[in-house]
Amino acid sequence: MALAAVVLVASLAPSAAYAQDRPFEGVTLTVITQSPPYIARPVQMLAPEWEERTGGTIDLVTVPFGDLYTQIMSDFALGAGRYDVVIFASAWMGDFAGNRYILDITDWVLVDEDLAFDEIVPTYQDTVRWGDRIYGIPLDGDVHTLYYRRDALENPEYQERFEETFGYPLGVPQTWEEYRDVAEFFHGWDWDEDGRTEYGAIEAMQRGGQAFWFFLSRAAPIVCPEGVEGCLWFDPEDMTPRIDNPGFVRALEQWIEILDVGVPGMINFDSGDVRSQFAAGQASLGFDWGDTGIIGSTSDESTIRGQLGTAILPGSLEVYDPETGEWQTLDEPNFAPFLAFGGWVGGISVTSQHAEAAYDFLAELGSPEFSYIAVTTDATGFNPYRPRHFEDFSRWLEMGFEESDLELYLEAIEASLSHPNAQLDLKLPGQPRYMDAAEVELARALAGEVSAERALENIAAQWNQITDDIGREQQLAFYREFLGLD
Amino acid sequence: MSTSRWVPAAFLMPAVVLLLLLAIFPFVFTIMLAFGRVSLVGGLSIDFGTLRNWSVLLADERFWNAARVTVTFVVVAVAIQYVLGMCLALLVNRRVPGITAFRVLFILPMTLTPVAVGYMWRMLFNESIGPLNDLLSRVGLSGLPWLSQGRYALASLIAVDVWHWTPFIMILLLAGLQAVPQEVVEAATVDGATAWQRFRFVVFPLLVPTSLAAIVLRSLEAAKIVDEVYILTGGGPGTSTESLTLYAYNVGLQGFNLAYGATIAISLFLGVLILTMVFLLSAWSLTASRTW
């Protein structure tokens, strides 16, 4: 498969090794990624088979997510050359590809028929592009989707009571205002009659617990009219942050309000808490990556199997246009699914002495066949991103998915990924610094230490400082490259 | 120095030099980083010789908040640990049947790693499904926002630290109690001193050196707290439980602003050094000038 493709690459002269049965005999590839089980597990699953086929050896190095960026970046920046393959968050592409720490593999990828790169959902093809070149292979299809309890929202008695209270029918929320109403309606009483109190919503709000991505998912439909480049980040003319505009202020105020109808203690929840507590039946709705759906519908500990609904994230009937500085009022909600985190991708270090073997391994990891196994295996952390992942139900059902949950789950993810107004996560050098600065101020606003407006002004000031620290002109050039403007 | 004295010194020298390098190099490098700027764009570059990090630090609201949190945490936690540790040490210093089992029982929390302690208490503090709020609701009280409101969160962290490390103080004080000469205590008893007077005027003065060591050691450790905070609150809600070490970690290793992270770390080192010296000097002068 990938082997044949590599042979065709003239610029990176394929060796005679490819003709051999075990072409990488004696080669040891050092692969670094996150600690098991998530993300490392697919590597562990594939390694024995790859070693048997090629004669090579996989040396897997894993570190906790919080240290992964530092570990890889230190290796690159110091030129240590310890790793051949790096499996990382695509949001770090700006640091790695922008600084040319990983190989441009465009010529390998485009001729590799077995990899079928063109078949990947287009927004996920973009996660491995830097400018018009390809620096990695997509391995994961991360996007935030809405989760809700079907037994709550489809209960006729509750539907009647909800309409009496709020004046419109109870259904899957189409806007963040409706989301708030549904959460309020189901907050603080035992609506599933299990003898325990349930709550309205559940979201991750803890700094360092993916809170920034949750906030951006809420903000995207409010600040991203279709066609506005860089609506979530900076003005592409001068790198002025857009995070303090009135649209973001409204999104943050709505986020603070949801605390009143959230699961107690939600202010300290990370995405792991969202998954476990939603599966434990604590909330009527919430949102997260695909993992909540898998755990909710397949885990033996889940109390909501067969009751899980999934949908595209709510939108907004009012949209702030950062280019004109004006609000637009719409008849239909503006949706802007946020590809939070942007998925895991694999790249090859420029210092690798075994680039061909590294490509072979990565291409197999991201191949249509193996990726289908990976996304339909529990605790791999990989979510669907290829057509087959959405169309072939067989392994999903083998995995334990309730059939009634599955269709909605896959439909929602596919609809989000292929939405014309889907928003990519930031890929820019220093991305972790921008994110950390934002998370601190968001946490302060959620805790009531500062107002929403002040928190966002502080973020904008710190983002300006970070941009100046790294170099505004350089960042502007990288940012325009990320947006595909230059 | 005679040849016979040079030979062992020469043999020891490589190990000593290596040890000094290993110990001193990271420290010196961190100090240099605190006066420098690190850039990773276009490869690693480090410029030294700037005071910019320190001027930013002095105006950094988040740094001062972290310093306030750290000082509050250290003072309150160590004070409670000392009082409880003393009570427990006096309790298990008695010669009664089964006391060894009690001593082991009291020491158990200290044997757990901070990460395990953090996760255990995180489950206990869970506000919707945790046992503590469940217990409160069973006796007709409403649940408490253990970790989701600033003051409660800091108090919860202090409680966890007290639970975890009181045994450490207890062990040190127990060792000190067992070293108190029994003849002195017996003489005071013969003179008609009450139990309180024996403790106040005989035992406690003899425990002062041990107490100082216990308080200083525990304060040094408490000032570096990061694991339990990271797991229990992540420094939140907001920044209400962010310690200096956690702040340095967030800035240096999460945000990869190594120079500023080093500046925070060095400021913590200087702060701890100064406060420890002030504490020890005050305690020693007090000990020297006062009859306990």
Side-chain angles (χ1 to χ4, degrees):
Chain A
M1 42 164 300
L3 224 57
V6 179
V7 174
L8 297 174
V9 181
S11 59
L12 290 149
S15 67
Y18 286 107
Q20 299 167 9
D21 281 344
R22 288 159 65 86
F24 303 120
E25 192 77 54
V27 169
T28 296
L29 289 181
T30 305
V31 181
I32 181 168
T33 192
Q34 180 183 267
S35 303
Y38 293 104
I39 314 307
R41 191 170 179 193
V43 177
Q44 293 168 322
M45 284 160 55
L46 178 64
E49 184 191 320
W50 187 83
E51 288 173 347
E52 175 64 28
R53 179 172 65 77
T54 66
T57 304
I58 297 296
D59 176 19
L60 177 63
V61 177
T62 62
V63 289
F65 179 74
D67 297 328
L68 186 60
Y69 172 82
T70 313
Q71 191 86 9
I72 298 174
M73 197 61 181
S74 312
D75 182 84
F76 285 161
L78 298 170
R82 189 174 164 207
Y83 310 116
D84 297 290
V85 174
V86 289
I87 297 175
F88 60 97
S90 66
W92 306 339
M93 189 61 86
D95 281 308
F96 298 170
N99 287 307
R100 305 297 185 256
Y101 289 141
I102 53 177
L103 280 180
D104 173 353
I105 54 173
T106 313
D107 296 336
W108 293 5
V109 167
L110 294 183
V111 297
D112 188 346
E113 289 176 9
D114 294 322
L115 178 65
F117 184 79
D118 289 345
E119 173 196 288
I120 294 170
V121 175
T123 38
Y124 269 89
Q125 294 180 26
D126 292 344
T127 62
V128 291
R129 284 206 171 92
W130 186 250
D132 61 350
R133 307 296 291 174
I134 297 169
Y135 285 84
I137 293 178
L139 303 172
D140 170 33
D142 280 330
V143 66
H144 274 164
T145 51
L146 174 77
Y147 293 103
Y148 60 94
R149 289 282 296 276
R150 296 208 315 271
D151 53 337
L153 271 65
E154 293 171 4
N155 182 313
E157 184 197 331
Y158 300 159
Q159 287 176 336
E160 197 176 322
R161 280 172 46 195
F162 181 91
E163 190 160 1
E164 280 170 17
T165 310
F166 293 97
Y168 65 92
L170 173 61
V172 178
Q174 296 299 299
T175 64
W176 287 109
E177 287 81 4
E178 290 182 12
Y179 175 97
R180 153 83 206 201
D181 289 346
V182 174
E184 187 180 327
F185 181 78
F186 287 106
H187 185 70
W189 55 287
D190 182 15
W191 40 262
D192 66 357
E193 296 172 349
D194 65 351
R196 292 183 315 168
T197 301
E198 279 82 37
Y199 305 95
I202 187 162
E203 297 175 24
M205 295 181 156
Q206 188 185 50
R207 176 157 50 91
Q210 295 87 33
F212 184 52
W213 286 305
F214 277 73
F215 172 63
L216 286 182
S217 277
R218 283 180 150 271
I222 304 173
V223 300
C224 288
E226 272 196 57
V228 175
E229 297 289 353
C231 52
L232 285 173
W233 313 107
F234 304 93
D235 185 329
E237 296 305 316
D238 57 8
M239 286 298 284
T240 302
R242 287 176 159 164
I243 192 83
D244 56 347
N245 74 35
F248 280 103
V249 174
R250 179 178 293 182
L252 183 50
E253 285 170 349
Q254 288 180 348
W255 203 31
I256 294 167
E257 281 175 18
I258 211 71
L259 269 170
D260 296 339
V261 289
V263 175
M266 188 165 82
I267 198 168
N268 283 324
F269 283 5
D270 60 18
S271 56
D273 295 310
V274 172
R275 287 159 203 172
S276 59
Q277 299 218 27
F278 191 78
Q282 288 278 294
S284 64
L285 41 64
F287 64 98
D288 185 31
W289 287 276
D291 309 82
T292 287
I294 293 172
I295 292 168
S297 191
T298 68
S299 167
D300 290 338
E301 283 78 40
S302 171
T303 63
I304 62 166
R305 292 180 71 167
Q307 302 295 343
L308 177 75
T310 314
I312 189 169
L313 282 182
S316 178
L317 286 168
E318 285 192 308
V319 187
Y320 182 81
D321 186 335
E323 288 182 346
T324 62
E326 287 177 2
W327 287 94
Q328 300 169 5
T329 303
L330 310 170
D331 295 328
E332 294 294 324
N334 175 56
F335 294 101
F338 177 48
L339 276 62
F341 189 77
W344 290 85
V345 298
I348 302 166
S349 168
V350 289
T351 58
S352 173
Q353 300 299 306
H354 310 294
E356 294 165 3
Y359 178 80
D360 189 78
F361 180 75
L362 266 184
E364 188 163 349
L365 195 63
S367 66
E369 294 76 21
F370 185 80
S371 66
Y372 179 62
I373 295 169
V375 300
T376 54
T377 300
D378 188 29
T380 59
F382 285 178
N383 298 138
Y385 61 97
R386 283 180 181 273
R388 185 183 171 196
H389 301 167
F390 300 107
E391 291 158 6
D392 184 351
F393 284 14
S394 57
R395 268 191 62 91
W396 288 106
L397 295 173
E398 276 175 37
M399 182 185 177
F401 237 103
E402 296 290 331
E403 200 163 356
S404 56
D405 300 342
L406 180 60
E407 203 166 327
L408 286 173
Y409 175 75
L410 292 177
E411 269 178 21
I413 294 177
E414 191 175 19
S416 302
L417 292 180
S418 57
H419 196 280
N421 198 27
Q423 298 297 320
L424 284 176
D425 203 352
L426 181 67
K427 289 186 289 184
L428 194 65
Q431 187 267 1
R433 283 182 69 183
Y434 290 111
M435 196 172 87
D436 185 55
E439 285 204 340
V440 172
E441 293 300 327
L442 292 174
R444 293 182 69 203
L446 287 166
E449 291 177 15
V450 289
S451 68
E453 203 168 349
R454 173 79 194 279
L456 294 169
E457 284 168 4
N458 290 346
I459 296 172
Q462 289 178 56
W463 282 14
N464 270 324
Q465 183 66 55
I466 294 167
T467 302
D468 288 335
D469 275 355
I470 299 174
R472 186 167 291 269
E473 288 307 312
Q474 200 164 2
Q475 287 295 81
L476 182 61
F478 278 137
Y479 183 58
R480 292 182 64 85
E481 205 172 346
F482 156 60
L483 294 177
L485 295 175
D486 290 333
Chain B
M1 193 182 278
S2 68
T3 309
S4 61
R5 294 180 68 186
W6 274 109
V7 172
F11 274 106
L12 280 174
M13 192 57 72
V16 171
V17 169
L18 188 67
L19 198 65
L20 283 175
L21 281 177
L22 287 175
I24 291 174
F25 174 74
F27 186 61
V28 171
F29 186 69
T30 306
I31 293 174
M32 288 171 72
L33 271 185
F35 292 93
R37 180 176 176 275
V38 179
S39 172
L40 292 168
V41 178
L44 178 71
S45 65
I46 306 176
D47 303 319
F48 295 114
T50 170
L51 288 172
R52 186 173 170 276
N53 294 325
W54 292 93
S55 64
V56 172
L57 187 86
L58 292 175
D60 183 355
E61 191 186 327
R62 195 172 152 199
F63 167 77
W64 291 109
N65 174 68
R68 183 187 57 76
V69 168
T70 306
V71 170
T72 308
F73 177 84
V74 171
V75 171
V76 178
V78 175
I80 298 173
Q81 285 164 17
Y82 180 74
V83 173
L84 284 179
M86 179 68 86
C87 294
L88 287 174
L90 289 169
L91 197 69
V92 298
N93 192 37
R94 292 162 186 271
R95 291 192 186 89
V96 291
I99 197 65
T100 310
F102 277 105
R103 285 178 188 167
V104 172
L105 201 66
F106 285 135
I107 289 167
L108 274 181
M110 202 180 78
T111 62
L112 297 173
T113 62
V115 173
V117 169
Y119 276 113
M120 184 181 77
W121 280 95
R122 187 174 166 135
M123 285 187 276
L124 293 171
F125 283 138
N126 188 299
E127 289 165 31
S128 55
I129 52 177
L132 291 180
N133 275 356
D134 186 52
L135 205 64
L136 290 174
S137 71
R138 283 171 196 273
V139 295
L141 299 171
S142 54
L144 293 175
W146 299 103
L147 300 174
S148 61
Q149 279 186 21
R151 284 184 184 173
Y152 281 97
L154 188 55
S156 299
L157 283 175
I158 289 170
V160 171
D161 199 67
V162 166
W163 179 85
H164 194 187
W165 290 114
T166 296
F168 175 76
I169 302 245
M170 184 197 82
I171 287 178
L172 291 183
L173 294 179
L174 181 62
L177 280 172
Q178 295 189 338
V180 171
Q182 285 309 299
E183 311 82 64
V184 184
V185 180
E186 283 161 11
T189 310
V190 169
D191 288 345
T194 62
W196 167 248
Q197 286 169 328
R198 287 200 299 276
F199 172 75
R200 171 71 181 78
F201 298 107
V202 179
V203 176
F204 185 71
L206 291 169
L207 278 182
V208 166
T210 313
S211 298
L212 288 179
I215 289 169
V216 168
L217 286 174
R218 192 73 272 287
S219 300
L220 290 176
E221 281 302 308
K224 293 186 289 185
I225 185 152
V226 66
D227 337 47
E228 286 160 7
V229 183
Y230 183 83
I231 290 163
L232 282 164
T233 64
T239 51
S240 58
T241 59
E242 186 174 60
S243 65
L244 278 172
T245 317
L246 182 62
Y247 183 34
Y249 168 78
N250 283 331
V251 168
L253 296 177
Q254 296 286 307
F256 220 73
N257 190 351
L258 295 172
Y260 195 55
T263 311
I264 298 164
I266 294 298
S267 72
L268 175 64
F269 166 75
L270 291 174
V272 167
L273 187 71
I274 292 166
L275 288 177
T276 305
M277 286 172 67
V278 168
F279 175 76
L280 284 177
L281 288 173
S282 312
W284 282 331
S285 66
L286 199 64
T287 311
S289 65
R290 177 170 176 177
T291 305
W292 289 87

